[in-house]
Amino acid sequence: MSTSFFVPQEGTLPLYEQIYRRMVEEIRSGRLAAGERAPSKRQLCAQLGVSLSTVETAYGMLVAEGYLQSQPRSGYRVCSLLPLDAPAASVPQPPVPAPVPAAPALSDVFSTAAVDTHIFPSSVWASLTREALKDPELLQRGDPQGDLPLREALCDFLRSCRGVRCRSEQVVVGAGMEYLLSVLFQLFDPAVPVALEEPGYNAAYRTLENLGRSAVPVPVDSQGMVPDALAASGAGVAYVTPSHQFPTGAAMPAGRRTELLRWAYAAPHRYLIEDDYDSEFRYASRPIPAMQGMDTGGRVVYTGTFSRTLAPSIRAAYLILPEALLDVYKARFAHGASTVSRFEQQVLCRFLSSGQYGRHLRRAGSLYRARCAALTAALKDAFPQGRVSGAGAGLHLLLTLPGRDESDLAARAAAAGYRVRTLGEYCRGTSPLPGSLVLGFAGLDVAAAPRAVADLARAFGGM
């Protein structure tokens, strides 16, 4: 085989790299055929005037990558490579439209997802993080359900503050509610539809759709999910937000909770998923105990998250699984690892067990109570014909303006510089309260509430 093509070039590449690249090019193009003998190392050294170590390095790379094969007492031969056909021509794509000018940024002070990060206990969190980093054991793989100390601390907190009855073995810690819902829905029979509140939490609908599972919208009234509609839905699982229905803000009374529990007990393998997403904040009365505490038959799955009470970036949520579902979970998911960093788990554990979390909730609750009151007062002054509801708890409320078109209101608000959500955005069918806006207040300062509401009033006009 001729070595005339191995001519070192001027440049920054080392000589061994030049030899390697040129040989690869010849083999890939087929100019060096499979089985053909490669030049001997000494022959190539003499031809190119390079050292033996340079050629050995290049050949070593070619052998390691499967381009050449070393044969004892026979030198090197080219390995067989299948021809690499060009990919099929892609389907022509429609022409790219001309770029649309970016829309002006809108204020998110009415966002239902906002929390005030200024009250995040940064110094305490930093101190607890430094303590956790001193523990080298946390570098090891942890329990798939979450570290036991955190699960024990969670049980203590939920028993005392939410009336939840649980053992640490029933707790599963995961990276956010959406992730845990995707795990939870897989524990149920895929042929059984899941009832979701209408209007309700859009992420639950999306999670079911992504899993290929059936979702059945079931209407809510002023007391939560309607039992008769649930019974007629054919569902075997119902997802509810009883302490503060999202997005209407309704609180489910004990009588309605009992009706839903009776529905669950009436047939095997029926379950209620209780999402207690912002139950820690209640302004008109003491927090309502969780529905799970009423469950004597092991049919309620309790879920909660820290993203609403601490910060959205803290992706730590949890499930409390009934015993029967716990066995299914362990069979399907116990082989994996926890999706929450063990260091973050340890910080949360210490934050809970030290009482710092309780102190933070009291401070945040006082702040949000004042903001809720300020927004409610401003709305009632600006819209005397409107109705404010769902303001007794959580981090959002409902403003209903009878006779107004929700989409038009949202567009007018955007023109005034504010992004607002309509109740219809959380519905699969017709909105049960036409003319309703879902307004968050966690990101709205008390002093800013009157001005922001006045801006909306001017934008809406004719009130």
Side-chain angles (χ1 to χ4, degrees):
M1 183 192 70
S2 172
T3 60
S4 60
F5 58 84
F6 292 109
V7 179
Q9 303 293 320
E10 295 294 332
T12 58
L13 284 179
L15 287 175
Y16 72 84
E17 180 76 15
Q18 294 185 44
I19 296 171
Y20 159 80
R21 291 192 177 195
R22 191 60 185 271
M23 183 74 87
V24 168
E25 180 184 341
E26 296 295 309
I27 294 172
R28 284 180 174 174
S29 68
R31 290 190 291 270
L32 286 179
E36 186 174 348
R37 187 189 301 275
S40 72
K41 291 185 288 188
R42 293 188 183 279
Q43 179 185 2
L44 202 55
C45 287
Q47 171 77 25
L48 302 179
V50 297
S51 68
L52 181 61
S53 63
T54 296
V55 177
E56 286 180 335
T57 300
Y59 272 33
M61 294 167 62
L62 292 165
V63 170
E65 295 184 21
Y67 290 104
L68 294 181
Q69 183 178 24
S70 175
Q71 297 180 337
R73 296 183 299 277
S74 183
Y76 295 88
R77 291 188 179 274
V78 177
C79 293
S80 176
L81 296 181
L82 291 175
L84 187 60
D85 297 329
S90 59
V91 177
Q93 298 296 314
V96 178
V100 178
L106 300 180
S107 170
D108 282 320
V109 295
F110 294 114
S111 170
T112 60
V115 299
D116 191 330
T117 55
H118 294 93
I119 60 172
F120 182 79
S122 301
S123 59
V124 173
W125 197 264
S127 176
L128 295 177
T129 299
R130 286 192 295 270
E131 292 177 16
L133 290 172
K134 296 176 183 178
D135 187 355
E137 171 61 25
L138 297 179
L139 293 169
Q140 301 292 338
R141 182 187 181 99
D143 192 297
Q145 290 184 222
D147 284 359
L148 179 59
L150 173 58
R151 290 186 281 126
E152 291 175 336
L154 265 172
C155 286
D156 291 341
F157 173 79
L158 293 173
R159 275 194 294 264
S160 62
C161 296
R162 302 296 301 125
V164 172
R165 300 188 295 181
C166 61
R167 298 177 297 107
S168 60
E169 292 82 359
Q170 297 174 258
V171 181
V172 176
V173 177
M177 187 54 61
E178 290 84 359
Y179 164 75
L180 286 180
L181 284 178
S182 70
V183 170
L184 177 59
F185 288 143
Q186 294 179 68
L187 305 184
F188 305 119
D189 183 347
V192 176
V194 177
L196 299 180
E197 295 172 321
E198 167 74 354
Y201 184 41
N202 284 331
Y205 280 95
R206 288 194 298 270
T207 301
L208 283 169
E209 291 167 0
N210 290 339
L211 293 172
R213 303 293 179 95
S214 297
V216 182
V218 175
V220 300
D221 60 16
S222 61
Q223 297 186 349
M225 184 175 280
V226 179
D228 290 343
L230 173 60
S233 69
V237 179
Y239 172 92
V240 294
T241 51
S243 293
H244 188 232
Q245 200 278 329
F246 186 86
T248 67
M252 187 180 292
R256 177 64 59 87
R257 296 179 182 215
T258 301
E259 290 183 80
L260 294 186
L261 286 169
R262 287 172 61 87
W263 169 84
Y265 297 162
H269 311 300
R270 280 184 180 174
Y271 289 95
L272 296 166
I273 301 172
E274 178 182 11
D275 188 344
D276 217 18
Y277 68 100
D278 65 0
S279 61
E280 294 87 354
F281 303 122
R282 193 155 192 87
Y283 315 121
S285 64
R286 65 185 295 267
I288 300 173
M291 182 169 62
Q292 193 265 6
M294 301 172 62
D295 178 24
T296 59
R299 299 297 184 89
V300 176
V301 179
Y302 181 85
T303 74
T305 178
F306 291 99
S307 65
R308 303 295 286 151
T309 54
L310 287 174
S313 65
I314 297 181
R315 306 305 299 158
Y318 48 89
L319 304 174
I320 309 295
L321 295 175
E323 297 292 344
L325 287 181
L326 182 60
D327 293 338
V328 181
Y329 170 83
K330 289 181 176 180
R332 297 187 182 181
F333 295 101
H335 60 278
S338 175
T339 52
V340 180
S341 159
R342 293 191 70 195
F343 288 103
E344 189 166 85
Q345 289 187 53
Q346 181 59 224
V347 173
L348 275 172
C349 175
R350 298 183 184 204
F351 196 60
L352 281 164
S353 57
S354 67
Q356 293 288 348
Y357 185 55
R359 285 190 280 276
H360 170 73
L361 287 179
R362 289 190 290 274
R363 181 186 177 196
S366 297
L367 176 71
Y368 294 145
R369 179 184 292 106
R371 292 183 177 182
C372 178
L375 178 58
T376 300
L379 290 173
K380 289 182 176 179
D381 286 344
F383 305 106
Q385 305 304 316
R387 184 169 68 90
V388 176
S389 59
L395 300 177
H396 74 276
L397 51 77
L398 212 62
L399 171 65
T400 302
L401 302 175
R404 298 301 298 266
D405 179 81
E406 292 179 357
S407 299
D408 177 65
L409 293 175
R412 288 171 177 264
Y418 295 93
R419 180 179 291 108
V420 299
R421 304 294 297 271
T422 69
L423 186 61
E425 293 179 59
Y426 301 96
C427 299
R428 292 302 182 270
T430 304
S431 173
L433 290 172
S436 294
L437 302 178
V438 185
L439 303 177
F441 49 79
L444 184 62
D445 287 337
V446 169
R451 181 177 65 254
V453 171
D455 290 342
L456 292 184
R458 281 192 297 271
F460 295 167
M463 301 303 299

